Amino acid sequence: MRKSYRVKKESEFQRVFETHNSVANRKFIIYQMAKPGQKHFRVGISVGKKIGNAVHRNWVKRRIRQTLLEVKAQIKPDVDFLVIARPAADGLEMPEVKKNLVHALKRADLLNEK
């Protein structure tokens, strides 16, 4: 995912957290903040140390990024959001990650229905 699609700075992460607009399922938490007039969405991914060592955390992040790339066309453009992986997300295969992440995105009303 290109850098223009990422929430990178700590201050930007905190601004999204402070909106207190979150939705969760058993595997992921989604925090979102509306940004009217923005050309495309921006996403931040956070995987905590409860998931495991760096290899496991990067493995989970790669699967989250791939899922977001696959549903990129359906995600609303005027939003910044954070995806936080819960410990239950460790060890999931790609179809399970996609199913759970899409479910969380739908609950957060971030996907345009086609």
Side-chain angles (χ1 to χ4, degrees):
M1 193 163 292
R2 293 171 36 200
K3 282 189 179 183
S4 63
Y5 282 88
R6 296 188 197 159
V7 175
K8 295 289 278 181
K9 296 179 182 174
E10 177 67 23
S11 61
E12 294 171 343
F13 264 85
Q14 289 304 320
R15 202 172 314 130
V16 177
F17 274 127
E18 288 168 0
T19 62
H20 301 292
N21 189 3
S22 67
V23 172
N25 63 12
R26 292 178 186 262
K27 312 291 186 207
F28 299 103
I29 304 169
I30 308 282
Y31 284 89
Q32 61 180 317
M33 180 177 78
K35 299 268 299 238
Q38 188 167 266
K39 292 181 182 178
H40 53 76
F41 69 90
R42 295 188 322 151
V43 63
I45 300 172
S46 177
V47 180
K49 289 187 176 182
K50 288 185 179 181
I51 298 276
N53 62 16
V55 173
H56 287 277
R57 293 193 302 270
N58 287 327
W59 186 85
V60 171
K61 282 190 267 190
R62 282 195 305 270
R63 282 170 168 61
I64 292 170
R65 269 191 231 109
Q66 182 61 36
T67 298
L68 291 172
L69 278 174
E70 291 174 8
V71 298
K72 179 177 159 181
Q74 298 172 1
I75 299 175
K76 294 181 180 179
D78 58 346
V79 68
D80 282 358
F81 65 98
L82 306 177
V83 177
I84 300 170
R86 288 185 160 172
D90 186 22
L92 293 179
E93 293 300 321
M94 189 61 199
E96 295 169 312
V97 170
K98 184 173 182 177
K99 181 181 127 190
N100 284 292
L101 188 54
V102 167
H103 173 257
L105 290 170
K106 283 181 183 176
R107 287 194 64 197
D109 196 31
L110 290 174
L111 293 181
N112 293 322
E113 295 301 321
K114 286 192 173 183

